[in-house]
């Protein structure tokens, strides 16, 4: 690895849950970079914070919210 760059294999090990729900690669990387590895980690942040992550697009939010609803998880107020 060169300074300032992370190999894609780094993400492959951590974004299993995000791949499973069908998020696009930029959104998955944004979540991993924010140390949000599991869906349950989203209760630590606000929805506004999630959407401010670089790489998180508007099409990701409905997918994430659907999974959160299934698991009865809510964003931080």
């Amino acid at each position: 690895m060169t300074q300032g760059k992370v190999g894609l294999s780094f993400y492959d090990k951590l974004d299993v849950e995000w791949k499973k729900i069908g998020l696009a690669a930029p959104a998955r990387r944004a979540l991993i970079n924010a140390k949000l590895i599991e869906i349950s980690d989203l209760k630590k942040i606000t929805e506004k914070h999630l959407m401010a992550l670089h790489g998180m697009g508007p099409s990701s939010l409905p997918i994430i919210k659907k999974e959160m609803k299934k698991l009865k998880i809510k964003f931080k107020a």
Side-chain angles (χ1 to χ4, degrees):
M1 252 189 295
T2 60
Q3 187 175 359
K5 294 190 179 190
V6 176
L8 293 179
S9 63
F10 170 78
Y11 295 102
D12 288 339
K13 296 175 187 174
L14 299 173
D15 75 352
V16 174
E17 227 174 296
W18 303 123
K19 271 186 188 177
K20 188 166 61 173
I21 67 169
L23 287 181
R28 295 193 321 257
R29 287 191 297 269
L31 289 161
I32 299 302
N33 289 339
K35 297 181 177 39
L36 302 165
I37 310 301
E38 298 177 358
I39 295 168
S40 62
D41 291 336
L42 295 171
K43 62 186 171 190
K44 300 175 191 174
I45 65 167
T46 64
E47 183 177 336
K48 185 177 180 178
H49 179 210
L50 175 74
M51 293 311 297
L53 296 176
H54 179 72
M56 188 61 59
S59 64
S60 299
L61 189 58
I63 297 168
I64 289 171
K65 282 185 166 183
K66 180 180 174 184
E67 290 302 311
M68 289 175 74
K69 187 175 181 177
K70 281 185 200 175
L71 298 172
K72 297 182 172 124
I73 295 170
K74 296 186 180 202
F75 288 110
K76 183 178 175 180

